[in-house]
């Protein structure tokens, strides 16, 4: 029995849409390390890596993270991909949290009291996030992901909330604190803040 010609047309268009989506996802996946390499190159060229060493380390580490995760995704086993992805996520979280702290210190550099208070608050926030992750890992019910993955996801959410809070803080208080929209730390925080909801 033969299928009607219209069925073949829909089957073909569905396959084309699937190929288009897959190629778009891969293009976006490869855009990340290219853009981060370009940003790291600009930081080297402008010698900003001395002023923002943690952000520079974050950019470079993300390129290596991409390479490792992509290689294990394409040619490794599921177990290798799983562990490389989640270990790299933990490393990215730690460095990303330090980047937020670095931006905060740069913005509030002229205000020593706020800078000192912010440093204490960041240490407490880091401690609270670790404690929340431990509690989530210990108390999480048996799930497909497992307790470690659940705790990493919880810490990711906490860091993302802090990123959004930082951008809102800078947007609202930029005039009062004297932060220009052209300032490098404002651009970094804007990028982190827009990346957080993703």
């Amino acid at each position: 029995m033969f299928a009607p010609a219209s069925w073949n047309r829909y089957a073909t268009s569905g396959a084309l849409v699937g190929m288009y989506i897959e190629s778009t996802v891969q293009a976006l996946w490869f855009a990340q390390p290219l853009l981060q390499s370009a940003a790291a190159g600009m930081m080297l060229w402008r010698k900003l890596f001395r002023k923002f060493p943690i952000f520079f380390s974050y950019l470079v580490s993300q390129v290596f993270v991409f390479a490792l995760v992509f290689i294990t995704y394409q040619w490794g086993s599921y177990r290798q991909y799983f562990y490389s992805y989640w270990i790299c996520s933990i490393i990215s979280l730690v460095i990303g949290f330090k980047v937020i702290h670095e931006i905060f210190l740069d913005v509030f550099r002229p205000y020593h009291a706020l800078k000192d208070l912010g440093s204490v608050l960041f240490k407490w926030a880091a401690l609270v996030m670790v404690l929340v992750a431990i509690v989530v890992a210990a108390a999480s019910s048996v799930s497909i992901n497992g307790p470690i993955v659940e705790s990493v996801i919880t810490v990711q959410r906490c860091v993302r909330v802090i990123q959004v809070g930082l951008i809102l803080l800078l947007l609202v208080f930029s005039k009062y604190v004297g932060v220009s929209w052209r300032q490098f730390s404002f651009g970094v925080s804007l990028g982190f803040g827009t990346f957080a909801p993703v």
Side-chain angles (χ1 to χ4, degrees), residues 28-38 59 62-64 66-67:
L28 290 173
W29 205 4
F30 278 105
Q32 174 216 347
L34 293 175
L35 292 172
Q36 287 175 330
S37 297
L59 289 174
Q62 290 304 302
V63 174
F64 287 114
F66 167 80

Side-chain angles (χ1 to χ4, degrees), residues 100 103 159-168 171 185-198:
I100 295 169
I103 293 167
V159 170
R160 301 294 184 238
V161 167
I162 292 172
Q163 288 173 342
V164 171
L166 178 67
I167 188 61
L168 290 176
L171 285 173
S185 56
F186 188 85
V188 171
S189 64
L190 184 64
F192 263 62
T194 54
F195 170 71
V198 175

